[in-house]
Amino acid sequence: MSLKPRFALLFALCGSVVSMPPAVHAAARPAPAEGRRLFMQVGCYQCHGTVGQGGSAGPRLAPDAWPVEALLPFLRNGTRLMPAYPASILADAEIAAIQVYLASIPAPPRPGAVPALRGVRGVPEAAARP
Amino acid sequence: MANRKQPRLVGRRGFMSGVALAGAGSALAGGAAPDASAASEPQAEPGAAAASAQAPGTLAGRPGSDYMVDVIKSLGIEYIASNPGSSFRGLHESIITYGGNSAPEFITCLHEESSVAMAHGYAKVALKPMAFMAHGTVGLQHAAMAVYNAWCDRVPLIGILGNGVNATKRRPGVEWSHTAQDPVALVRDFVKWDDQPASLRHFGESLVRAWKITMTPPMEPVMIVADSDLQEEAMTGHESPGVPRLTLPTAPAGESGAVREAAKWLVGAELPVIVADRAARTPAGVALLVELAETLGAPVIDQGGRMNFPNTHELSLADRGGNLIRRADVILGLELTDYWGTVNEFFDNIDRDYGPRTRPGTRLIGIASTELYLKSNYQDFQRYAELDLAIAGDAEATLPSLIEACRALIDTRRQAAIDTRRAAMAKLRAEAQAAALENATLGWDASPISTARLSAEIWQAIKAEDWSLVSADAWLSGWPHRMWDFDAHYRFIGHAGGAGVGYGLPAAVGAALANRAHGRLSVNIQCDGDLMYAPGAIWTAVHHRIPLLSVMHNNRAYHQEVMHLQRMANRRQRGIDRAWIGNRIDDPPIDYAMLAKSMGMWAEGPITDPRELAGALRRAVAVVKRGEPALLDVVTQPR
């Protein structure tokens, strides 16, 4: 089942009513490495993969990561599919750090540019595009 | 003594009878009754040998287990998977000597659970049972979980259990602790039928009956107890049993009036959606489902209990299943394990709430053989689904009449609507595939290796071969089904059924054994946690020269459980960074290549750099193509 419509709706709602928490604004912008460390430590990667690629257990998180204004209430409230992450488990600043990591993940190559995907349904057998 | 000197003669007669009927099993899958007239002729030569000179300590006459082999041969059973046990030593000896260890061949297993899982995997490719033998007590206790998997997966399976009911003949000690009054009581909740025969003829009739029952939808495991004395004692003159003739019943098809009503709803629908789980029992089932989908222009959501529908077909839309269920006005469920879960959403939160996926007024049709047969204790039948039309019958057997009824209702106007819908579904499918591939490339060079990369690299290595995926792929986020072309029934065999861990490798070995006869390249994407339940199946694959490519999905944890623990910890606000305790398998990491090598299997790994995958896969495929099993240990992302 595709989760995209659900996430898109939530994103739209969150973005309209939530602002960046002061603690996040005030803190120095964390390094992506610190965000990755937290992403791994608290187990985000279990469902979303180590580079946010997503899978059957959780949707793709990168590239084009959600802004922290959307990510934070989403984690706080959870969904009917994902458990809520209260502040006692994941602080605002830690969520911000995770967002920095996700935002740092570069866009992947196009499928046609990946040799091992040539010939897979929807990808031409021979023509590799850059 | 005379009897001992002539086993070859007697053996050949029995064997020839078996050869005459060897096609029985394969013919049965299509429902045809074999010509078993020759089987009615008794194979035994009782009495005569008893009258001749007999050496001390030798049997006067042929043992009863020779007759049991005659019956087994008459059914076309090619293999018997077993871990040896004294309670069936008589039958074991008859199989390997009197029977020539051929059809059936004794497949040596290192655990009874593996014996059953092997038979489970084999049945889904061979479309007929492989038997397994076990002690009626400790052996069946080991085997029980695997029997449950087969039950949940609706797989035909015949268990032959050693047991000795005559207390005066039991050896003191272990033979008592290896005996039960009613051995099958342990598993009767998930066995379709069983018997404990008291004579050889009774054994023959019950084994043939067992074959009929296990091969009639809903297909489920059956068990026969082979009494030790019946196996070991000589046949007597008046007990010339004869092999009973097998006549398979036809598969139960849905009632014609209900089928016509279903056709009316489907043809009149704006968006009929077909959902299939264990619908295609045979290749004919796949062809019929394609015919129905094309007749209706209806998308098919293959839930993957079997290879029901080619994912290369433009109406294959499993990737858009949720969306289609929400939009459908008529849903046809074919042999669904969980109809309720198909049309409802359930959320594993504190409230455990749920709600319908379907829009109001959607009509639900079900065709399932499980409407005909249920048991109460184990709850694998899932939540009660409120259907609008429930047709009791085997889906594959019902499809021809349903297709005919649909065609009779389609006029020019309906055909135009069907053509339009089919084009729209083809477009939706192309969009879904493009979106899936966009997701595949993220993390392409990551280490641990992404499951998308792993699936793509395996595909490149096997796509030119006649391959068969003999493992589930849900743990890899379903990437093989998005990337590989599943265009034949044997390309995929579904999953364990009951989600009992330890199914993976032995089931793959059993399926590969069935594929070997067709020269297919069997591919097993093997979860690490599952492998460690039954690593002995590695040895069985090597010992019996069963070609099988196993690629480890080694994420070094029971990741499903890690996620459950995270959910619990979150809910209780206790922190989630300890959820790995009890769930990780990485301190120390297990060297699966070394494990495989220790049992004589070609192996490489652990592979952590995705750039090394292609070369390693080429080398492994070359090994498998020369008839051996091979294993690659690949360290992977969780999903």
mmCIF file of all heavy atoms in Angstrom, chain B residues 232-274:
data_model
loop_
_atom_site.group_PDB
_atom_site.id
_atom_site.type_symbol
_atom_site.label_atom_id
_atom_site.label_comp_id
_atom_site.label_asym_id
_atom_site.label_seq_id
_atom_site.Cartn_x
_atom_site.Cartn_y
_atom_site.Cartn_z
ATOM 1 N N GLU B 232 8.076 -54.434 10.747
ATOM 2 C CA GLU B 232 9.182 -55.370 10.937
ATOM 3 C C GLU B 232 8.783 -56.826 10.821
ATOM 4 O O GLU B 232 9.615 -57.681 10.500
ATOM 5 C CB GLU B 232 9.854 -55.106 12.288
ATOM 6 C CG GLU B 232 10.488 -53.716 12.350
ATOM 7 C CD GLU B 232 11.296 -53.488 13.614
ATOM 8 O OE1 GLU B 232 11.661 -54.472 14.292
ATOM 9 O OE2 GLU B 232 11.567 -52.318 13.930
ATOM 10 N N GLU B 233 7.534 -57.139 11.099
ATOM 11 C CA GLU B 233 7.127 -58.542 11.045
ATOM 12 C C GLU B 233 6.861 -58.972 9.608
ATOM 13 O O GLU B 233 6.546 -58.146 8.741
ATOM 14 C CB GLU B 233 5.877 -58.748 11.906
ATOM 15 C CG GLU B 233 6.185 -58.620 13.396
ATOM 16 C CD GLU B 233 4.941 -58.750 14.257
ATOM 17 O OE1 GLU B 233 3.835 -58.921 13.696
ATOM 18 O OE2 GLU B 233 5.065 -58.645 15.488
ATOM 19 N N ALA B 234 6.980 -60.271 9.392
ATOM 20 C CA ALA B 234 6.766 -60.795 8.048
ATOM 21 C C ALA B 234 5.290 -60.766 7.700
ATOM 22 O O ALA B 234 4.418 -60.922 8.560
ATOM 23 C CB ALA B 234 7.289 -62.221 7.954
ATOM 24 N N MET B 235 5.038 -60.560 6.419
ATOM 25 C CA MET B 235 3.662 -60.677 5.952
ATOM 26 C C MET B 235 3.234 -62.131 6.038
ATOM 27 O O MET B 235 4.035 -63.030 5.766
ATOM 28 C CB MET B 235 3.554 -60.199 4.503
ATOM 29 C CG MET B 235 3.673 -58.710 4.374
ATOM 30 S SD MET B 235 3.483 -58.160 2.670
ATOM 31 C CE MET B 235 5.168 -58.255 2.114
ATOM 32 N N THR B 236 2.013 -62.358 6.365
ATOM 33 C CA THR B 236 1.531 -63.727 6.492
ATOM 34 C C THR B 236 0.720 -64.111 5.264
ATOM 35 O O THR B 236 0.300 -63.253 4.482
ATOM 36 C CB THR B 236 0.636 -63.844 7.743
ATOM 37 O OG1 THR B 236 -0.423 -62.897 7.631
ATOM 38 C CG2 THR B 236 1.429 -63.582 9.003
ATOM 39 N N GLY B 237 0.523 -65.436 5.134
ATOM 40 C CA GLY B 237 -0.111 -65.933 3.928
ATOM 41 C C GLY B 237 -1.484 -65.347 3.658
ATOM 42 O O GLY B 237 -1.818 -65.023 2.525
ATOM 43 N N HIS B 238 -2.267 -65.193 4.685
ATOM 44 C CA HIS B 238 -3.617 -64.715 4.450
ATOM 45 C C HIS B 238 -3.668 -63.199 4.342
ATOM 46 O O HIS B 238 -4.707 -62.625 4.099
ATOM 47 C CB HIS B 238 -4.537 -65.178 5.589
ATOM 48 C CG HIS B 238 -4.188 -64.577 6.916
ATOM 49 N ND1 HIS B 238 -3.205 -65.099 7.720
ATOM 50 C CD2 HIS B 238 -4.674 -63.487 7.556
ATOM 51 C CE1 HIS B 238 -3.111 -64.346 8.822
ATOM 52 N NE2 HIS B 238 -3.987 -63.380 8.740
ATOM 53 N N GLU B 239 -2.518 -62.563 4.521
ATOM 54 C CA GLU B 239 -2.530 -61.102 4.524
ATOM 55 C C GLU B 239 -1.858 -60.566 3.251
ATOM 56 O O GLU B 239 -0.957 -59.756 3.303
ATOM 57 C CB GLU B 239 -1.808 -60.567 5.767
ATOM 58 C CG GLU B 239 -2.146 -59.129 6.056
ATOM 59 C CD GLU B 239 -1.391 -58.609 7.266
ATOM 60 O OE1 GLU B 239 -0.316 -59.149 7.586
ATOM 61 O OE2 GLU B 239 -1.863 -57.652 7.864
ATOM 62 N N SER B 240 -2.249 -61.077 2.142
ATOM 63 C CA SER B 240 -1.727 -60.611 0.871
ATOM 64 C C SER B 240 -2.451 -59.322 0.516
ATOM 65 O O SER B 240 -3.562 -59.353 -0.016
ATOM 66 C CB SER B 240 -1.995 -61.693 -0.190
ATOM 67 O OG SER B 240 -1.583 -61.235 -1.443
ATOM 68 N N PRO B 241 -1.865 -58.199 0.853
ATOM 69 C CA PRO B 241 -2.697 -57.000 0.945
ATOM 70 C C PRO B 241 -3.128 -56.398 -0.391
ATOM 71 O O PRO B 241 -4.257 -55.964 -0.530
ATOM 72 C CB PRO B 241 -1.820 -56.022 1.717
ATOM 73 C CG PRO B 241 -0.630 -56.779 2.174
ATOM 74 C CD PRO B 241 -0.485 -57.961 1.277
ATOM 75 N N GLY B 242 -2.245 -56.339 -1.367
ATOM 76 C CA GLY B 242 -2.601 -55.633 -2.592
ATOM 77 C C GLY B 242 -2.560 -54.135 -2.375
ATOM 78 O O GLY B 242 -2.830 -53.649 -1.274
ATOM 79 N N VAL B 243 -2.197 -53.425 -3.415
ATOM 80 C CA VAL B 243 -2.121 -51.971 -3.319
ATOM 81 C C VAL B 243 -3.447 -51.386 -3.757
ATOM 82 O O VAL B 243 -3.884 -51.614 -4.883
ATOM 83 C CB VAL B 243 -0.964 -51.419 -4.186
ATOM 84 C CG1 VAL B 243 -0.945 -49.896 -4.143
ATOM 85 C CG2 VAL B 243 0.371 -51.991 -3.708
ATOM 86 N N PRO B 244 -4.104 -50.627 -2.913
ATOM 87 C CA PRO B 244 -5.410 -50.072 -3.282
ATOM 88 C C PRO B 244 -5.294 -49.112 -4.475
ATOM 89 O O PRO B 244 -4.291 -48.430 -4.645
ATOM 90 C CB PRO B 244 -5.847 -49.305 -2.032
ATOM 91 C CG PRO B 244 -5.025 -49.868 -0.925
ATOM 92 C CD PRO B 244 -3.729 -50.281 -1.536
ATOM 93 N N ARG B 245 -6.322 -49.091 -5.273
ATOM 94 C CA ARG B 245 -6.342 -48.221 -6.454
ATOM 95 C C ARG B 245 -6.706 -46.801 -6.038
ATOM 96 O O ARG B 245 -7.619 -46.579 -5.251
ATOM 97 C CB ARG B 245 -7.364 -48.755 -7.438
ATOM 98 C CG ARG B 245 -7.437 -47.985 -8.748
ATOM 99 C CD ARG B 245 -8.114 -48.820 -9.824
ATOM 100 N NE ARG B 245 -9.452 -49.232 -9.426
ATOM 101 C CZ ARG B 245 -10.565 -48.541 -9.731
ATOM 102 N NH1 ARG B 245 -10.470 -47.418 -10.405
ATOM 103 N NH2 ARG B 245 -11.750 -48.968 -9.352
ATOM 104 N N LEU B 246 -5.984 -45.868 -6.611
ATOM 105 C CA LEU B 246 -6.231 -44.453 -6.297
ATOM 106 C C LEU B 246 -7.177 -43.831 -7.322
ATOM 107 O O LEU B 246 -6.970 -43.965 -8.523
ATOM 108 C CB LEU B 246 -4.907 -43.678 -6.313
ATOM 109 C CG LEU B 246 -5.008 -42.151 -6.257
ATOM 110 C CD1 LEU B 246 -5.474 -41.707 -4.873
ATOM 111 C CD2 LEU B 246 -3.669 -41.503 -6.582
ATOM 112 N N THR B 247 -8.189 -43.178 -6.851
ATOM 113 C CA THR B 247 -9.026 -42.355 -7.716
ATOM 114 C C THR B 247 -9.199 -41.007 -7.021
ATOM 115 O O THR B 247 -9.776 -40.934 -5.939
ATOM 116 C CB THR B 247 -10.416 -42.984 -7.919
ATOM 117 O OG1 THR B 247 -10.247 -44.320 -8.387
ATOM 118 C CG2 THR B 247 -11.215 -42.181 -8.940
ATOM 119 N N LEU B 248 -8.643 -39.984 -7.643
ATOM 120 C CA LEU B 248 -8.748 -38.657 -7.027
ATOM 121 C C LEU B 248 -10.121 -38.049 -7.290
ATOM 122 O O LEU B 248 -10.637 -38.165 -8.409
ATOM 123 C CB LEU B 248 -7.715 -37.715 -7.628
ATOM 124 C CG LEU B 248 -6.390 -37.508 -6.918
ATOM 125 C CD1 LEU B 248 -5.679 -36.311 -7.522
ATOM 126 C CD2 LEU B 248 -6.564 -37.309 -5.428
ATOM 127 N N PRO B 249 -10.689 -37.418 -6.292
ATOM 128 C CA PRO B 249 -11.922 -36.664 -6.560
ATOM 129 C C PRO B 249 -11.601 -35.412 -7.382
ATOM 130 O O PRO B 249 -10.472 -34.937 -7.364
ATOM 131 C CB PRO B 249 -12.425 -36.289 -5.165
ATOM 132 C CG PRO B 249 -11.218 -36.307 -4.309
ATOM 133 C CD PRO B 249 -10.265 -37.306 -4.909
ATOM 134 N N THR B 250 -12.585 -34.911 -8.081
ATOM 135 C CA THR B 250 -12.380 -33.640 -8.768
ATOM 136 C C THR B 250 -12.299 -32.531 -7.726
ATOM 137 O O THR B 250 -12.852 -32.648 -6.633
ATOM 138 C CB THR B 250 -13.551 -33.342 -9.727
ATOM 139 O OG1 THR B 250 -14.767 -33.381 -8.968
ATOM 140 C CG2 THR B 250 -13.617 -34.393 -10.831
ATOM 141 N N ALA B 251 -11.626 -31.452 -8.095
ATOM 142 C CA ALA B 251 -11.544 -30.314 -7.174
ATOM 143 C C ALA B 251 -12.919 -29.671 -7.059
ATOM 144 O O ALA B 251 -13.644 -29.571 -8.058
ATOM 145 C CB ALA B 251 -10.530 -29.314 -7.688
ATOM 146 N N PRO B 252 -13.305 -29.254 -5.873
ATOM 147 C CA PRO B 252 -14.646 -28.672 -5.702
ATOM 148 C C PRO B 252 -14.757 -27.309 -6.384
ATOM 149 O O PRO B 252 -13.972 -26.402 -6.105
ATOM 150 C CB PRO B 252 -14.780 -28.536 -4.177
ATOM 151 C CG PRO B 252 -13.367 -28.440 -3.682
ATOM 152 C CD PRO B 252 -12.540 -29.261 -4.627
ATOM 153 N N ALA B 253 -15.712 -27.186 -7.281
ATOM 154 C CA ALA B 253 -15.931 -25.914 -7.980
ATOM 155 C C ALA B 253 -17.173 -25.229 -7.417
ATOM 156 O O ALA B 253 -18.066 -25.874 -6.857
ATOM 157 C CB ALA B 253 -16.102 -26.163 -9.478
ATOM 158 N N GLY B 254 -17.226 -23.912 -7.575
ATOM 159 C CA GLY B 254 -18.331 -23.130 -7.043
ATOM 160 C C GLY B 254 -19.660 -23.456 -7.714
ATOM 161 O O GLY B 254 -19.699 -23.838 -8.892
ATOM 162 N N GLU B 255 -20.723 -23.269 -6.992
ATOM 163 C CA GLU B 255 -22.078 -23.572 -7.479
ATOM 164 C C GLU B 255 -22.418 -22.636 -8.649
ATOM 165 O O GLU B 255 -22.115 -21.432 -8.616
ATOM 166 C CB GLU B 255 -23.050 -23.398 -6.301
ATOM 167 C CG GLU B 255 -24.469 -23.821 -6.583
ATOM 168 C CD GLU B 255 -25.307 -22.682 -7.113
ATOM 169 O OE1 GLU B 255 -25.088 -21.524 -6.669
ATOM 170 O OE2 GLU B 255 -26.170 -22.941 -7.961
ATOM 171 N N SER B 256 -23.061 -23.185 -9.678
ATOM 172 C CA SER B 256 -23.210 -22.462 -10.946
ATOM 173 C C SER B 256 -24.044 -21.187 -10.807
ATOM 174 O O SER B 256 -23.731 -20.164 -11.426
ATOM 175 C CB SER B 256 -23.806 -23.391 -11.999
ATOM 176 O OG SER B 256 -25.072 -23.861 -11.563
ATOM 177 N N GLY B 257 -25.092 -21.221 -10.005
ATOM 178 C CA GLY B 257 -25.921 -20.023 -9.848
ATOM 179 C C GLY B 257 -25.146 -18.892 -9.197
ATOM 180 O O GLY B 257 -25.231 -17.724 -9.617
ATOM 181 N N ALA B 258 -24.373 -19.229 -8.206
ATOM 182 C CA ALA B 258 -23.564 -18.211 -7.526
ATOM 183 C C ALA B 258 -22.491 -17.669 -8.462
ATOM 184 O O ALA B 258 -22.178 -16.469 -8.441
ATOM 185 C CB ALA B 258 -22.919 -18.819 -6.275
ATOM 186 N N VAL B 259 -21.954 -18.529 -9.280
ATOM 187 C CA VAL B 259 -20.930 -18.085 -10.230
ATOM 188 C C VAL B 259 -21.544 -17.101 -11.242
ATOM 189 O O VAL B 259 -20.939 -16.076 -11.578
ATOM 190 C CB VAL B 259 -20.301 -19.310 -10.947
ATOM 191 C CG1 VAL B 259 -19.443 -18.879 -12.128
ATOM 192 C CG2 VAL B 259 -19.478 -20.121 -9.945
ATOM 193 N N ARG B 260 -22.738 -17.391 -11.715
ATOM 194 C CA ARG B 260 -23.402 -16.468 -12.657
ATOM 195 C C ARG B 260 -23.678 -15.109 -11.994
ATOM 196 O O ARG B 260 -23.529 -14.067 -12.612
ATOM 197 C CB ARG B 260 -24.704 -17.094 -13.173
ATOM 198 C CG ARG B 260 -24.492 -18.131 -14.269
ATOM 199 C CD ARG B 260 -25.792 -18.430 -15.005
ATOM 200 N NE ARG B 260 -26.824 -18.969 -14.132
ATOM 201 C CZ ARG B 260 -26.956 -20.272 -13.827
ATOM 202 N NH1 ARG B 260 -26.115 -21.144 -14.338
ATOM 203 N NH2 ARG B 260 -27.915 -20.681 -13.020
ATOM 204 N N GLU B 261 -24.072 -15.144 -10.744
ATOM 205 C CA GLU B 261 -24.321 -13.887 -10.018
ATOM 206 C C GLU B 261 -23.026 -13.090 -9.873
ATOM 207 O O GLU B 261 -23.015 -11.865 -10.056
ATOM 208 C CB GLU B 261 -24.911 -14.213 -8.633
ATOM 209 C CG GLU B 261 -25.340 -13.005 -7.819
ATOM 210 C CD GLU B 261 -26.570 -12.298 -8.415
ATOM 211 O OE1 GLU B 261 -27.178 -12.844 -9.346
ATOM 212 O OE2 GLU B 261 -26.882 -11.187 -7.940
ATOM 213 N N ALA B 262 -21.961 -13.775 -9.559
ATOM 214 C CA ALA B 262 -20.658 -13.097 -9.441
ATOM 215 C C ALA B 262 -20.280 -12.467 -10.775
ATOM 216 O O ALA B 262 -19.795 -11.320 -10.830
ATOM 217 C CB ALA B 262 -19.591 -14.100 -8.998
ATOM 218 N N ALA B 263 -20.499 -13.183 -11.853
ATOM 219 C CA ALA B 263 -20.174 -12.656 -13.184
ATOM 220 C C ALA B 263 -20.975 -11.392 -13.475
ATOM 221 O O ALA B 263 -20.457 -10.416 -14.022
ATOM 222 C CB ALA B 263 -20.452 -13.723 -14.240
ATOM 223 N N LYS B 264 -22.243 -11.406 -13.077
ATOM 224 C CA LYS B 264 -23.098 -10.235 -13.308
ATOM 225 C C LYS B 264 -22.534 -9.007 -12.581
ATOM 226 O O LYS B 264 -22.462 -7.920 -13.137
ATOM 227 C CB LYS B 264 -24.516 -10.555 -12.812
ATOM 228 C CG LYS B 264 -25.586 -9.665 -13.394
ATOM 229 C CD LYS B 264 -26.965 -10.275 -13.243
ATOM 230 C CE LYS B 264 -27.437 -10.216 -11.801
ATOM 231 N NZ LYS B 264 -28.770 -10.797 -11.599
ATOM 232 N N TRP B 265 -22.136 -9.192 -11.355
ATOM 233 C CA TRP B 265 -21.575 -8.073 -10.582
ATOM 234 C C TRP B 265 -20.259 -7.581 -11.196
ATOM 235 O O TRP B 265 -20.015 -6.394 -11.289
ATOM 236 C CB TRP B 265 -21.306 -8.502 -9.131
ATOM 237 C CG TRP B 265 -22.534 -8.831 -8.346
ATOM 238 C CD1 TRP B 265 -23.838 -8.895 -8.796
ATOM 239 C CD2 TRP B 265 -22.573 -9.150 -6.959
ATOM 240 N NE1 TRP B 265 -24.679 -9.250 -7.766
ATOM 241 C CE2 TRP B 265 -23.935 -9.409 -6.626
ATOM 242 C CE3 TRP B 265 -21.622 -9.246 -5.964
ATOM 243 C CZ2 TRP B 265 -24.336 -9.761 -5.337
ATOM 244 C CZ3 TRP B 265 -22.007 -9.593 -4.670
ATOM 245 C CH2 TRP B 265 -23.361 -9.845 -4.370
ATOM 246 N N LEU B 266 -19.430 -8.524 -11.589
ATOM 247 C CA LEU B 266 -18.107 -8.153 -12.102
ATOM 248 C C LEU B 266 -18.212 -7.423 -13.438
ATOM 249 O O LEU B 266 -17.559 -6.401 -13.660
ATOM 250 C CB LEU B 266 -17.230 -9.411 -12.249
ATOM 251 C CG LEU B 266 -16.743 -10.031 -10.935
ATOM 252 C CD1 LEU B 266 -16.247 -11.461 -11.162
ATOM 253 C CD2 LEU B 266 -15.632 -9.181 -10.305
ATOM 254 N N VAL B 267 -19.045 -7.944 -14.314
ATOM 255 C CA VAL B 267 -19.170 -7.324 -15.641
ATOM 256 C C VAL B 267 -19.842 -5.953 -15.532
ATOM 257 O O VAL B 267 -19.506 -5.024 -16.265
ATOM 258 C CB VAL B 267 -19.953 -8.259 -16.590
ATOM 259 C CG1 VAL B 267 -20.306 -7.547 -17.890
ATOM 260 C CG2 VAL B 267 -19.142 -9.505 -16.878
ATOM 261 N N GLY B 268 -20.732 -5.802 -14.592
ATOM 262 C CA GLY B 268 -21.435 -4.536 -14.436
ATOM 263 C C GLY B 268 -20.680 -3.501 -13.630
ATOM 264 O O GLY B 268 -21.125 -2.355 -13.518
ATOM 265 N N ALA B 269 -19.540 -3.854 -13.094
ATOM 266 C CA ALA B 269 -18.817 -2.934 -12.210
ATOM 267 C C ALA B 269 -18.085 -1.861 -13.005
ATOM 268 O O ALA B 269 -17.674 -2.073 -14.141
ATOM 269 C CB ALA B 269 -17.818 -3.722 -11.367
ATOM 270 N N GLU B 270 -17.913 -0.715 -12.348
ATOM 271 C CA GLU B 270 -17.087 0.335 -12.932
ATOM 272 C C GLU B 270 -15.601 0.011 -12.753
ATOM 273 O O GLU B 270 -14.807 0.222 -13.648
ATOM 274 C CB GLU B 270 -17.415 1.688 -12.273
ATOM 275 C CG GLU B 270 -18.770 2.255 -12.664
ATOM 276 C CD GLU B 270 -18.913 2.399 -14.169
ATOM 277 O OE1 GLU B 270 -18.008 2.975 -14.804
ATOM 278 O OE2 GLU B 270 -19.923 1.911 -14.722
ATOM 279 N N LEU B 271 -15.265 -0.455 -11.563
ATOM 280 C CA LEU B 271 -13.875 -0.861 -11.318
ATOM 281 C C LEU B 271 -13.850 -2.168 -10.523
ATOM 282 O O LEU B 271 -13.750 -2.159 -9.294
ATOM 283 C CB LEU B 271 -13.104 0.232 -10.549
ATOM 284 C CG LEU B 271 -11.637 -0.114 -10.245
ATOM 285 C CD1 LEU B 271 -10.872 -0.490 -11.505
ATOM 286 C CD2 LEU B 271 -10.945 1.021 -9.513
ATOM 287 N N PRO B 272 -13.939 -3.295 -11.219
ATOM 288 C CA PRO B 272 -13.774 -4.571 -10.517
ATOM 289 C C PRO B 272 -12.293 -4.809 -10.256
ATOM 290 O O PRO B 272 -11.451 -4.547 -11.123
ATOM 291 C CB PRO B 272 -14.329 -5.588 -11.528
ATOM 292 C CG PRO B 272 -14.105 -4.954 -12.862
ATOM 293 C CD PRO B 272 -14.161 -3.455 -12.656
ATOM 294 N N VAL B 273 -11.990 -5.264 -9.060
ATOM 295 C CA VAL B 273 -10.587 -5.532 -8.691
ATOM 296 C C VAL B 273 -10.480 -6.989 -8.246
ATOM 297 O O VAL B 273 -11.288 -7.459 -7.435
ATOM 298 C CB VAL B 273 -10.127 -4.583 -7.556
ATOM 299 C CG1 VAL B 273 -8.768 -4.993 -7.021
ATOM 300 C CG2 VAL B 273 -10.092 -3.143 -8.061
ATOM 301 N N ILE B 274 -9.484 -7.682 -8.796
ATOM 302 C CA ILE B 274 -9.263 -9.088 -8.438
ATOM 303 C C ILE B 274 -8.086 -9.161 -7.468
ATOM 304 O O ILE B 274 -7.032 -8.587 -7.717
ATOM 305 C CB ILE B 274 -8.946 -9.929 -9.698
ATOM 306 C CG1 ILE B 274 -10.095 -9.827 -10.707
ATOM 307 C CG2 ILE B 274 -8.676 -11.379 -9.328
ATOM 308 C CD1 ILE B 274 -9.758 -10.413 -12.079
#
